[in-house]
Amino acid sequence: MEHDCAIVDDKNAFRYRAAAIIVEDGCVLLAGNGVDDYYYSVGGAVHMGETSEEAVKREVFEEAGVNYEVDHLAVIHENFFIGSSGLKGVNFHELTFYYMMKPMGKRNLTGQSTTMSGVKETMHWVPIDELDKCKAYPTFMKKFLKSEHRGVEHIVTDARD
């Protein structure tokens, strides 16, 4: 059994994640499920002994069913929030490395993933120009995808209020 780089108890949690930014034909790939009312980035926990780059490739394959290649590390995101669903009320400190993946020129996916609580996940190609019309996390994604970048960006989000 793989061990996630995470510390979770009933009041506080720290998670180390790797996530993908996959853009094809003006759309970004986001995940969703039948329980939560929002979309979220494709990605997940980094396992003990695994690099974040190895983790993002594994997570993308597990969730989307496609072997995307990493282009570059784009964002280091420090995220503070209060948990929902199965971790409702838990005070989170999350560190995520977002990797820009190389486009493949196609959007057909074959993944069959589930959330940690066993709920089936679905993949959604959301037009970048329509991100402001849907509830999606991380909240910085729309602004990030519509601007120019050099190097790795460090973004801090605090939604504990």
Side-chain angles (χ1 to χ4, degrees), residues 82 158-161:
I82 304 299
D158 192 337
R160 292 177 285 186
D161 297 335

Side-chain angles (χ1 to χ4, degrees), residues 14-79:
F14 172 80
R15 291 195 300 200
Y16 171 36
R17 298 179 69 246
I21 301 172
I22 302 172
V23 176
E24 298 280 2
D25 302 320
C27 296
V28 62
L29 183 63
L30 295 173
N33 65 63
V35 173
D36 297 312
D37 67 344
Y38 55 85
Y39 297 121
Y40 46 92
S41 59
V42 175
V46 175
H47 294 165
M48 292 295 295
E50 180 180 48
T51 69
S52 59
E53 189 169 325
E54 291 167 338
V56 76
K57 289 183 205 176
R58 174 183 51 75
E59 286 287 343
V60 167
F61 183 74
E62 288 173 5
E63 294 179 27
V66 179
N67 283 311
Y68 272 91
E69 291 182 37
V70 168
D71 188 324
H72 65 277
L73 177 62
V75 175
I76 297 172
H77 185 215
E78 292 184 75
N79 191 16

